[in-house]
Amino acid sequence: MTENEATPGSTPIDVVIPVKFGAGFLPQALRSIAAQRCSATVFVVDDGADVDVAELVDSVGSELAAASVTVEVLPNAGHPGIGGARNTGVGAGSAALVAFVDADDLWVDGRHALLLAALGDVSTPSMAFGLVEQFVDADGVHTALDEPHRRAMV
C-alpha cells in the first residue's frame, strides 16, 4: 500500500445493521465485524424486531469493546423497512466510510482490509463491495429467514 492508502486499523468506518428479521444472529454478525481489527462504530437500527435488540448487543459488548468497536442501538427514525433503517444509521454516523451488513450475515476474515485496498485513497468518492456469508443450516437452507420470507426469495 502507498502512503495514501488506508489500513484496516487506521481508517474509521461506520457500519449500519438494520434489524427486523434474523435478529438472533446479530451477536455473530457483530463478532465478525470485530474480527476485522478496524476502528468501527456500528449503528444497529431496530426496525421493529420482535426481540430486545439492545440485549443482544449487550451480550457481546465486552468482546466488541476489546476490539475497538462501539455500538449504538437506534430506533428506525425513517420510513419502516430496510431503506429507512439504513438511512437512520447513515445519518447517525460521521466516518468517511460506511458499510452495510444485515443482522444475519457474516463478514469473512480480512474482508475490510481487502475492500480498503480496493478503494485505495478513500478521500476520493468511490465504492467497493464484496460477498458476505449468510447463515445456513446443514441442508443449505437460509436459517435466518422464516418460511414465508424464504419463499419470497425464490
Side-chain angles (χ1 to χ4, degrees):
M1 284 189 191
T2 67
E3 182 179 315
N4 293 331
E5 289 179 324
T7 59
S10 67
T11 304
I13 184 170
D14 288 337
V15 181
V16 179
I17 306 177
V19 181
K20 183 165 186 167
F21 303 109
F25 295 105
L26 180 61
Q28 291 163 284
L30 289 167
R31 285 185 188 106
S32 78
I33 294 166
Q36 302 301 309
R37 296 175 299 282
C38 62
S39 174
T41 301
V42 180
F43 297 98
V44 176
V45 183
D46 187 343
D47 190 33
D50 58 358
V51 298
D52 187 338
V53 173
E55 187 175 295
L56 290 171
V57 170
D58 288 344
S59 73
V60 292
S62 61
E63 296 171 62
L64 300 175
S68 298
V69 173
T70 59
V71 181
E72 289 185 43
V73 178
L74 307 168
N76 182 357
H79 294 288
I82 195 166
R86 285 182 174 156
N87 287 340
T88 295
V90 170
S94 61
L97 296 175
V98 178
F100 300 103
V101 64
D102 293 337
D104 61 348
D105 290 340
L106 294 174
W107 280 0
V108 296
D109 290 343
R111 175 194 184 274
H112 186 62
L114 288 172
L115 293 178
L116 280 176
L119 283 172
D121 180 4
V122 296
S123 66
T124 303
S126 359
M127 176 199 282
F129 60 92
L131 296 174
V132 295
E133 180 179 333
Q134 200 169 48
F135 292 93
V136 295
D137 66 16
D139 297 322
V141 176
H142 297 266
T143 58
L145 302 175
D146 58 17
E147 189 59 31
H149 292 95
R150 224 181 281 120
R151 280 195 305 260
M153 290 178 57
V154 178

